[in-house]
Amino acid sequence: MTDQKPSRREAILHALVELLETDPGARITTAGLAKSVGVTEAALYRHFPSKRKMFEALIEFAEEAVFSRCQVILQEQEDVRVRLQQLVHLVLVFAERNPGLCCVLTGDALMGENDTLRKRASQFFERLETQVRQTLKEGEIRQGLRPRTTSARGADFVLVFVEGRIQRFIRSSFSRLPSTDFDESWGLVAEGVWG
């Protein structure tokens, strides 16, 4: 069995994520990124026409990784309460395994970048909120679960929990893991949603 060497494109993205993890909040330059990969800036641009495209590739990776797994949870799990718990846990564990990506998804790493790039990153959480809202509506229809409020407000409440945990993770320089005490915390969130 041979270990396949990652492609240059993957190596560039990996180096970008490592820079985001080791120095959160610092502005990433193509010169610094090229140095960490061990290539010239011209070599970076052969794989990505712009730094924006590098960040977009990271966002696309996060979306594919999280939302493909969300679909599996939705197909396998009948109980909406368990579905929602597993969806939220999935996102929090993904965040703690990918700290550099958290900085991109929350927009922290995109300050000073193109505004459309920050909007693109925010679509990750908008898509997640839509999924949560649909799950809550499905609970009402299929299981007769009555949330304390509308499914839109319930989804908002869940996303505040998720985004808050991820922001705290970043703010703590990745020391306060998002999934810490998840079961207890989720119990409080679920009580807030369904009573």
Side-chain angles (χ1 to χ4, degrees), residues 80 84 130-147 150-152 155 194:
V80 167
L84 197 53
T130 298
Q131 186 64 69
V132 170
R133 187 172 46 253
Q134 289 173 340
T135 301
L136 290 172
K137 284 182 182 178
E138 190 174 322
E140 285 183 72
I141 295 167
R142 291 190 180 178
Q143 289 178 249
L145 297 174
R146 293 284 170 223
T150 65
S151 58
W194 287 293

Side-chain angles (χ1 to χ4, degrees), residues 8 18 26 57 60 68 81 108 117 127 133 150 158 181:
R8 178 73 71 196
E18 282 184 354
E60 289 167 8
S68 64
R81 290 168 293 209
D108 288 13
L117 189 55
R127 186 174 172 189
R133 187 172 46 253
T150 65
V158 170
D181 300 322

Side-chain angles (χ1 to χ4, degrees), residues 8 11 14 20 48 50-51 60 66-67 71-72 78-79 91 101 108 123 129 145 153 161 178 183-184:
R8 178 73 71 196
H14 183 72
L20 293 168
F48 295 97
S50 66
K51 190 164 60 165
E60 289 167 8
V66 169
F67 292 109
Q71 290 307 310
V72 172
E78 291 293 321
D79 188 322
V91 173
L101 280 176
D108 288 13
Q123 289 175 350
E129 186 172 0
L145 297 174
R153 286 194 183 124
F161 172 73
D183 290 333
E184 182 180 351

Side-chain angles (χ1 to χ4, degrees), residues 8 12 34 37-48 54:
R8 178 73 71 196
I12 292 167
V37 177
V39 298
T40 64
E41 282 185 77
L44 287 180
Y45 288 116
R46 278 195 292 277
H47 297 282
F48 295 97
M54 292 177 211

Side-chain angles (χ1 to χ4, degrees), residues 19 38 75:
L19 287 172
Q75 291 170 0

